[in-house]
Amino acid sequence: MKVWVKALLLCVSSFALSANDVLLEGTLTQGSLIRAQAPAGAEVWFNDTAVKVSSEGHFVFGIGRDAALKHRLTVKYAGKTQVFPLEFSAREYAIQRITGVEQKYVEPPKDVTARIARDNKRVREVRTVLSDKLAIFAEPKRPAPGRISGVYGSQRFFNGQPRNPHFGIDIAAPVGTAVVAPWEGKVLMAEDLYFSGLTMIIDHGFGVTSTFMHLNRFTVGVGERVTQGQHIADVGATGRVTGPHLDWRINWQQERLDPQLLLPEFTPVQRLRLAL
């Protein structure tokens, strides 16, 4: 009989894990990145997709803003295959109305259409990187101080016109405020994009990237390896903005996830144990 593993299945912070346990860290909810570890040598699939597993058994998976709630985690280990049905919780998202946006960013002129398409293609390509870095399994540092002025998933209206939901968190801070790397990683992109202005993307391993948008300047360049907490850029007001802030986003390849769910100051750490 299959038993659905729900979002608050089991807190194992006080449990000793056996060699055959699979440990999941994170909240089973829409927009969440789940960091996990299986026994060394295990193979893992999320739904029907094989996921990258380190030699020590580390792996990640996640679902987007409007994803279905029922999924499967399949683990093959020691000649046996076990399927764990996972049930994620649904979320309700805010509506955010933003006024004072330059009209060229609400209804872009036709002469920038090709640039926007190139920007989007370039970002998608960068997010296909699948490195062996283990940085993503550490606790993150908040990339900038300041008030959270925009949250993940909110439906946005610019000058009264509906647009795509917001897929990051906005941190309001003055121009020039230091932005630091939440985890160590490698800089994959540092470019000026139409909507997001000066934009940096950093690879943290296993298909997980951070994107930093609306920057004022970069302090590191493409190809550089950065340490956790290193100054990588400054907060700015470039691209489609009404004031200075950092828009920080997390992706698992092309899945757009909620950074706030990874910060212990906002979301208590939850660990779930699955016995093989």
Side-chain angles (χ1 to χ4, degrees):
M1 180 179 69
K2 291 184 177 180
V3 178
W4 287 99
V5 180
K6 294 182 180 287
L8 297 178
L9 172 67
L10 179 63
C11 177
V12 298
S13 58
S14 60
F15 284 74
L17 298 177
S18 77
N20 292 341
D21 286 333
V22 177
L23 176 64
L24 309 184
E25 181 173 296
T27 305
L28 294 184
T29 191
Q30 289 170 322
S32 186
L33 176 71
I34 306 298
R35 297 174 289 181
Q37 186 169 12
E43 297 176 77
V44 179
W45 291 260
F46 182 57
N47 296 323
D48 296 321
T49 301
V51 301
K52 184 179 181 64
V53 183
S54 77
S55 58
E56 296 84 14
H58 296 93
F59 64 97
V60 301
F61 60 94
I63 66 169
R65 177 187 188 269
D66 300 307
L69 302 182
K70 292 186 177 183
H71 299 267
R72 301 183 314 280
L73 187 69
T74 303
V75 181
K76 182 178 181 180
Y77 175 67
K80 296 190 298 183
T81 299
Q82 190 157 347
V83 178
F84 300 98
L86 302 178
E87 184 170 352
F88 288 67
S89 62
R91 294 174 63 177
E92 294 184 2
Y93 299 104
I95 294 177
Q96 188 174 21
R97 300 183 185 277
I98 302 171
T99 58
V101 180
E102 288 187 73
Q103 194 59 28
K104 68 178 182 179
Y105 292 118
V106 179
E107 295 288 349
K110 291 182 179 179
D111 59 359
V112 300
T113 301
R115 178 188 174 186
I116 293 170
R118 287 194 301 271
D119 288 352
N120 293 339
K121 182 175 184 290
R122 172 73 174 131
V123 169
R124 287 194 300 270
E125 290 172 347
V126 166
R127 287 176 175 160
T128 62
V129 169
L130 197 60
S131 73
D132 294 323
K133 295 178 179 64
L134 293 171
I136 190 59
F137 298 98
E139 183 177 306
K141 289 184 177 293
R142 183 171 171 168
R147 175 178 61 86
I148 302 298
S149 57
V151 296
Y152 172 89
S154 55
Q155 176 62 58
R156 289 192 149 179
F157 289 76
F158 290 106
N159 298 348
Q161 299 183 40
R163 290 297 182 263
N164 289 335
H166 189 226
F167 290 107
I169 60 171
D170 290 338
I171 303 174
V175 170
T177 301
V179 177
V180 304
W183 296 276
E184 67 177 51
K186 180 179 179 180
V187 180
L188 301 178
M189 171 188 277
E191 297 179 17
D192 185 8
L193 306 183
Y194 184 78
F195 283 120
S196 56
L198 292 185
T199 302
M200 179 177 289
I201 299 180
I202 295 180
D203 165 39
H204 304 299
F206 286 72
V208 180
T209 56
S210 278
T211 303
F212 310 90
M213 301 163 60
H214 311 303
L215 302 169
N216 186 57
R217 70 173 182 125
F218 308 122
T219 60
V220 294
V222 173
E224 288 191 50
R225 298 184 183 277
V226 298
T227 58
Q228 186 179 44
Q230 181 178 339
H231 181 197
I232 57 172
D234 291 345
V235 171
T238 57
R240 184 170 62 185
V241 298
T242 57
H245 70 280
L246 171 67
D247 184 344
W248 175 37
R249 303 190 177 195
I250 292 289
N251 272 67
W252 175 48
Q253 297 185 357
Q254 306 306 326
E255 288 286 356
R256 295 177 283 196
L257 308 176
D258 187 352
Q260 210 164 352
L261 293 176
L262 294 168
L263 293 173
E265 65 185 284
F266 298 108
T267 307
V269 175
Q270 296 174 9
R271 296 183 177 91
L272 317 177
R273 185 184 68 184
L274 309 176
L276 289 173

